[in-house]
Amino acid sequence: MTVSNNIQRPRAVVGEEHTEQLLRATIMMVDDEPLMLEVLELYLSEEGYWNFVSVSQSTEAMAVLQREIPDIVFLDLVMPEVDGFDILREIRADEATKHLPVIILTSSNDAATKLKALELGATDFLGKPIDSSELALRLRNTLTVKAYQDQLAFYDGLTGLPNRTLFLDRLKWSITQADRAETGLSVMNVSLDRFRAINDSLGPLAGDEIIKQAASRLASVVREVDVVGRLAEDKFSKGLARMGGDEFSILLPGLVDESLIKLVGDRVLSVMREAFTFEGYDVYSTASIGVTRYPEDGADSDSIIKHASAANEWAKQQGRDNYQFYQQEMSVRANQRLILVADLHRALERGELLLHYQPQVEASTGRVVGVECLVRWLHPERGLILPNEFIPLAEEDGLIIPIGEWVIREACRQAREWQLQGLDKLDVSVNVSARQFRQPRFVGVVADALSSYGFAPRHLVLELTEGAMMEDVDETADLLDEIKKIGVSISVDDFGTGYSSMAYLKRFPIDEIKIDRSFVAELPDDEDDTAIVKALVAMSQLLELRIVAEGVETEAQLEFLRGLNCDVIQGYFFSRPLPAPDFAEFVTENRQRVSIELIKGVAG
Ligand code: C2E
Ligand code: CA
Ligand code: CA
């Protein structure tokens, strides 16, 4: 028996390579007559095929087949012990081989036999004695069809890379090889860090283009590894695949050495940092990588793959643009996150989200002039969850868009209700995440919420973080202009934490800045923070922006900020964020007190 050592499936059916690809096919022949096998091989060699697996012992056929994964099988029907029908039945019953083309060799012209073979799933027939040209034709046709089907089933249409199915297949095979050779392997799960944002802001065509460019960069790294590393005997099993979306996997058979894996990881990170181009523009992203090693990190292909994505997730949480080796805690975390994301999907439908309201107080008068709406999640089992725990998940998942829409609508509804109750002249601030802001419908959503509840645009303030604004300054400027057109105000949240320069601030139509609470926390004792806050306030005053200081907890902080002529104060010193009824009560009391103080002031 000759056994091939080539498990590669035919690759893409394209142009000139086509014939060469077909000739590489692994052809398995099962016939109890050795002479027949020899004849077949002879004819096929003349046609240029070379990759044969011949089996004369029909009892061995299935085992050989599962090991060799041929592209096609020639199968004799009449054999002792296990006959062709049995084998055909088994082939069709096995998930891995059920689509494998099987050509039946038969000397019988008996229609019933043929019918039975067809019913069992025979692909074609070839009469004995064999006619060499008929053989060549049947084989070629069948392989062409198979290659085409493989292309659809096993390769990604956009990049031409193997898809998830084929990758899993190869991984399984490589694991068997690794076991046999008592070596190991590693898998890298690579994903782009800004893909969603790119897709959302530049559109799916840009997304496709970036994926293609990323694929070819990764392929070049894999080739380098191939040349330099000589990692595995079996070069066919090594490789790169597109797992879906912006996610790729690299299989590195034989590679378990941490420092070598790190070299590959560094290479991948560095090629992904370079600018991608779309329609002449530079688009920047980075990659995050999760690494798993077999056998330490997982006992089978499924857990290896799953753990590689958990490690990737971890890398993203560590700030992106890095790689992480899998550790067990990551799975636990990843599971918790997954559960939370699934819960969050239901939270919206079940009305588990709510807003709390934190008063904003005018520094000079002590009067409540505004309110920041802060979302909370009343989880049925876990109780109240704060936004820092679920907003980042929602952003990643895309859920931030419906959640953000709900927040804006709910804020407008509640604010209008208060107005009707006499609690008017309050500016209502709503936090908006970058992804939400950059979705095409955003301005429409805001306008719609305002008109649905009859809330005046001039009382609505949208808070965008400095970081979110700086992501794509040209686009930001356009979007902010649109928002201004409908009469809504804009506030820069977490001001001071980003890298905005005066120049940008001047370009954007901003009304307000909120000094980040990290600068407020150490006031007035910390010299650096004191200096920074002074500078931020001076800069904002120069640009005639309203200044809100957030996170004010103490009287000393308040006095310091008042001294700088900061306009509005927000923080626990006045109040924590409150449920709607408590907030209404707070404002009512505040107004009574302020007017009494005013009267006293006038009287005194
Ligand atoms: P943020 O926009 O900076 O909101 C201010 C946060 O500071 C709030 O936390 C608030 O409770 C807290 N805070 C207020 N005063 C004080 C104080 O005196 N001391 C201290 N230590 N903290 C104070 P919260 O409600 O947990 O919200 C956290 C973040 O979640 C917010 O930070 C905001 O970025 C985000 N967020 C909240 N609601 C939404 C929303 O509806 N949409 C989006 N996209 N993000 C939201
Ligand atoms: Ca805010
Ligand atoms: Ca803030």
Side-chain angles (χ1 to χ4, degrees), residues 2-205:
T2 31
V3 168
S4 80
N5 57 5
N6 179 353
I7 65 135
Q8 195 188 30
R9 296 174 188 279
R11 288 257 171 88
V13 193
V14 276
E16 293 173 1
E17 273 184 57
H18 179 48
T19 301
E20 197 198 316
Q21 309 239 348
L22 293 188
L23 293 177
R24 264 204 309 252
T26 304
I27 302 168
M28 178 162 160
M29 298 164 279
V30 187
D31 199 308
D32 57 328
E33 283 185 60
L35 185 65
M36 188 65 202
L37 293 172
E38 270 170 44
V39 170
L40 271 172
E41 262 197 51
L42 183 73
Y43 283 164
L44 292 174
S45 318
E46 278 170 5
E47 295 293 328
Y49 295 94
W50 48 271
N51 208 339
F52 305 118
V53 181
S54 303
V55 178
S56 55
Q57 216 60 51
S58 67
T59 46
E60 285 175 10
M62 277 315 285
V64 174
L65 197 132
Q66 273 149 7
R67 192 176 63 231
E68 301 299 329
I69 323 172
D71 294 296
I72 188 165
V73 178
F74 285 98
L75 181 63
D76 185 23
L77 276 186
V78 192
M79 293 182 290
E81 290 180 88
V82 178
D83 70 14
F85 291 119
D86 297 328
I87 293 173
L88 186 53
R89 207 175 283 118
E90 270 197 70
I91 289 176
R92 291 300 175 238
D94 186 337
E95 196 53 40
T97 55
K98 82 177 177 207
H99 299 297
L100 184 67
V102 178
I103 297 183
I104 301 292
L105 302 168
T106 169
S107 42
S108 105
N109 263 328
D110 170 7
T113 307
K114 280 196 172 174
L115 202 62
K116 184 176 173 196
L118 273 177
E119 273 168 6
L120 289 177
T123 313
D124 204 349
F125 296 92
L126 195 63
K128 287 183 186 174
I130 287 173
D131 174 87
S132 67
S133 52
E134 192 187 350
L135 168 70
L137 200 67
R138 292 263 149 107
L139 177 61
R140 193 184 163 86
N141 287 345
T142 310
L143 284 177
T144 304
V145 171
K146 176 171 189 293
Y148 178 69
Q149 289 169 338
D150 281 355
Q151 182 68 25
L152 291 182
F154 299 110
Y155 291 85
D156 167 49
L158 182 65
T159 59
L161 290 177
N163 64 14
R164 184 183 196 93
T165 312
L166 181 50
F167 185 80
L168 266 170
D169 213 46
R170 288 184 174 173
L171 177 58
K172 277 183 194 147
W173 191 85
S174 301
I175 284 178
T176 339
Q177 294 303 104
D179 285 344
R180 208 172 286 170
E182 293 182 15
T183 59
L185 57 83
S186 60
V187 168
M188 278 187 185
N189 181 277
V190 182
S191 67
L192 291 178
D193 292 330
R194 290 201 60 235
F195 187 67
R196 271 243 176 80
I198 292 168
N199 230 16
D200 287 353
S201 57
L202 299 178
L205 278 184

Side-chain angles (χ1 to χ4, degrees), residues 358-362 367-371 429 514 568-570:
Q358 188 173 34
Q360 298 181 325
V361 176
E362 192 170 49
R367 190 183 151 87
V368 178
V369 290
V371 53
S429 296
K514 295 186 81 172
V568 177
I569 307 291
Q570 183 185 341

